[in-house]
Amino acid sequence: MTGNPAKVALGEIRSNELGFSRLAVLAAALDSYLLDIVDVDFSACTWFDANMSAPLGVVFVHALDNLNTLKPCGLRQGVETILAKNHFLTGFGFPERADTHGTTIPYHRFSATDDRYFAAYLNRHLRGKDLPIMSEALSQRFKNSILEIFVNAAMHSESKLGIFACGQYFPQQNRLDFCVADAGLGVRRKIYKELGLKMNSDKAIEWALQEGNTTRKGSVPGGLGLKLIREFIAMNKGRIQIVSDRGYWEFSPQGETLTRMDTSFPGTVIDIEINTADTSSYRLRAESKN
Amino acid sequence: MADRVTLKIFDIVGGPVWVSTDDGQKVFDKIVAAFKANRAVELSFANRENLITAFLNAAIGQLYGGQYDEAFLQQHLAFADISDDDRAMLGRAIENAKRYFANQQAYDQTWQEVIDEDEE
C-alpha cells in the first residue's frame, strides 16, 4: 500500500465474542498490508484482558509474516501496563514492567515441537507464589487441560507461525484465564483437508467437540482431551471458549453458545477460565454411564 | 505365564513430561517389542511430572486397536507406581480407545457435510 500512513485501530478487548470479533476485524484490516509500516492505534482501547494477548499475537504474526512493521501507539497507561507486564509489548520497543502482584502468566510464542518447553513454562508459572489459593488437585487439572490444548494445537493446526499462550489471574474475582492460540488452518479447513467434509466454521467446532471425532489418521484414538476439559470446566463452574475461523463456541454456567462471527479469525483460539477458589475434589471420575 | 519385564516411561521418554503423541508412540513401540519377545510388561509411571490423555492415547490406547484382545492385555500388561488420579485418567483413555475402535466408521458417517452459501 502507498499514500496515507498505514493505520489500523483496536477497541476494548475482553474475553468475549465481541473481543474476538474485534481481533478478527483487526486481522482483516492488517491483511491488506504488505511491506508497510503500520500504526496500530490503541487509543480507543480502554481495557485489554491480558490473556487475549495470545490471539492478538496470532493477528500480529500474520502481519509480520507479510513483512510489515507494526507500531502499537496511543496506548492508555492501564493498557500499556497490562501488555508490558505480560511481555507482549517487549518486542515492539516498550520497556518491560515488573509483575509485582504475581498475577501474570507471561505471553510466549512456542513452536509446535515445544511441548516439553511449554510444560516447563506451565510448571514454572502455575506453581508457588503466583497462584497461592488453588488446591493442588485444581492446579493439576487446570495444567493438564492447558497441556491437552497445546498438544492438540501442535498436532492439528499445522501452524508454521507458532502457538501463542498467555494467562492472567484476577484475584478480586478468583478467576484465572488462560489462552492458547495458533496461527494455523482452523478447524473447518483441517476437517476438509483430512476428511473431505465441508462444514461451516461453527459446525466444524461442534464436530470437533463430539466424543470420538478426530482428524487424526491411523491407529491412535483421539477425542478425549476436550471432553475431559469440558467436564472439568462444568465442575468448576468456569468457562471455555473456542474461536476458529468464523466459528465461536462458549460453554459456561450461563449456558452454551455456538455462533458464526462476521469476520474470520486467522487461526484457532481456546480460552479457559476457572474459578480458583473452588475447593471441589477434582479426582477424575470413572467412565460415565451415558 | 510369560516372563515379565518392567518398562519405565521416564526412561523411554527421557524425562518426566509425558504429553506428546510422539513420546506416547515410543512407549507403545517398547510395549509391542516386549510382547513380540513373549514378555509380559509392567509399565512404571514413577517420576512423572506431567501426564495427559494425548500421550496415553498413543502409548496405551492404540493397543486396543485389534492387534491384541482384551484378555491378552489383562494378562500381559500391568501398571505400577501410578497415582489414583493417573489410574483414573488411564481408565478413561482405555474406555475411550475401546469405544473409538468399535465405532470408528460410525463416527465418520454420522456427520454429513454442513455448508451454506455464507461460507464457501
Side-chain angles (χ1 to χ4, degrees):
Chain A
M1 272 207 166
T2 54
N4 294 331
K7 193 168 190 173
V8 294
L10 192 62
E12 179 182 282
I13 298 294
R14 294 184 185 272
S15 311
N16 55 28
E17 187 186 348
L18 180 59
F20 285 109
S21 291
R22 284 181 171 151
L23 291 178
V25 168
L26 177 68
L30 284 168
D31 196 40
S32 58
Y33 296 106
L34 178 70
L35 287 161
D36 264 307
I37 298 170
V38 186
D39 287 341
V40 183
D41 181 7
F42 279 76
S43 59
C45 180
T46 51
W47 179 258
F48 196 104
D49 276 347
N51 49 297
M52 295 294 274
S53 300
L56 182 61
V58 169
V59 172
F60 275 22
V61 81
H62 280 288
L64 295 169
D65 192 48
N66 282 334
L67 306 174
N68 296 301
T69 299
L70 298 182
K71 291 190 166 178
C73 60
L75 288 114
R76 295 170 186 239
Q77 191 176 359
V79 172
E80 183 179 334
T81 301
I82 290 165
L83 296 179
K85 276 204 304 193
N86 74 5
H87 303 175
F88 182 85
L89 288 173
T90 307
F92 299 98
F94 288 77
E96 270 184 34
R97 289 183 192 230
D99 179 22
T100 46
H101 299 295
T103 55
T104 295
I105 301 164
Y107 168 79
H108 213 292
R109 178 181 177 178
F110 298 88
S111 76
T113 54
D114 281 343
D115 51 277
R116 293 184 195 192
Y117 183 36
F118 183 79
Y121 156 87
L122 278 190
N123 290 337
R124 178 177 167 208
H125 292 291
L126 291 179
R127 176 183 287 156
K129 68 172 180 64
D130 293 347
L131 305 162
I133 60 169
M134 279 207 288
S135 70
E136 175 59 28
L138 174 56
S139 175
Q140 191 70 35
R141 281 297 297 269
F142 181 61
K143 205 188 296 179
N144 283 353
S145 299
I146 295 168
L147 282 167
E148 294 272 8
I149 290 166
F150 180 87
V151 169
N152 206 48
M155 204 159 30
H156 297 300
S157 75
E158 301 184 28
S159 175
K160 293 181 174 61
L161 298 175
I163 298 168
F164 300 78
C166 191
Q168 182 69 33
Y169 175 45
F170 300 97
Q172 303 293 329
Q173 292 90 33
N174 293 318
R175 311 299 281 188
L176 173 60
D177 278 59
F178 196 93
C179 201
V180 176
D182 70 64
L185 281 179
V187 180
R188 184 172 86 98
R189 289 185 176 84
K190 182 68 176 176
I191 292 171
Y192 182 64
K193 183 182 174 189
E194 300 295 342
L195 304 175
L197 282 172
K198 280 187 181 175
M199 289 182 200
N200 287 321
S201 301
D202 48 345
K203 284 290 170 189
I205 293 175
E206 191 178 21
W207 181 93
L209 287 164
Q210 294 300 308
E211 180 185 323
N213 280 347
T214 176
T215 57
R216 188 185 302 154
K217 287 178 176 166
S219 54
V220 180
L224 179 60
L226 271 176
K227 187 182 179 191
L228 293 187
I229 293 169
R230 192 170 165 163
E231 275 179 19
F232 163 55
I233 293 293
M235 203 188 313
N236 176 261
K237 296 184 174 57
R239 184 190 64 196
I240 177 168
Q241 297 158 306
I242 301 179
V243 174
S244 185
D245 209 326
R246 286 176 56 195
Y248 177 86
W249 176 76
E250 178 176 323
F251 173 73
S252 74
Q254 282 70 50
E256 191 171 347
T257 305
L258 179 68
T259 186
R260 215 178 304 167
M261 303 189 300
D262 289 335
T263 309
S264 173
F265 181 85
T268 298
V269 189
I270 301 189
D271 185 73
I272 62 179
E273 180 178 87
I274 60 163
N275 169 16
T276 55
D278 187 11
T279 54
S280 303
S281 165
Y282 282 96
R283 184 140 297 172
L284 262 177
R285 287 177 291 126
E287 183 77 5
S288 55
K289 298 285 184 248
N290 57 7
Chain B
M1 186 66 166
D3 288 343
R4 175 171 289 189
V5 60
T6 297
L7 301 179
K8 294 178 180 172
I9 299 176
F10 184 90
D11 291 344
I12 297 169
V13 171
V17 176
W18 308 339
V19 297
S20 76
T21 301
D22 286 349
D23 282 337
Q25 183 69 38
K26 292 175 193 167
V27 174
F28 171 82
D29 290 342
K30 291 294 181 196
I31 294 170
V32 169
F35 287 166
K36 281 183 179 161
N38 198 28
R39 297 292 184 94
V41 169
E42 180 183 70
L43 189 65
S44 169
F45 285 70
N47 302 313
R48 82 108 178 88
E49 178 139 11
N50 303 102
L51 173 68
I52 62 171
T53 66
F55 175 90
L56 289 172
N57 288 339
I60 309 295
Q62 64 175 326
L63 290 167
Y64 290 81
Q67 197 175 350
Y68 308 102
D69 64 30
E70 209 167 334
F72 177 91
L73 290 170
Q74 272 182 354
Q75 283 180 354
H76 289 80
L77 183 61
F79 305 104
D81 312 314
I82 185 169
S83 70
D84 290 345
D85 284 343
D86 287 353
R87 191 177 285 280
M89 195 196 306
L90 175 64
R92 293 292 295 265
I94 290 171
E95 290 307 314
N96 182 66
K98 288 184 200 170
R99 195 170 43 242
Y100 174 82
F101 289 119
N103 299 296
Q104 200 167 11
Q105 233 178 353
Y107 281 134
D108 293 345
Q109 287 171 354
T110 309
W111 285 78
Q112 304 297 317
E113 295 196 350
V114 185
I115 190 86
D116 58 37
E117 290 172 357
D118 197 30
E119 286 184 300
E120 87 268 2

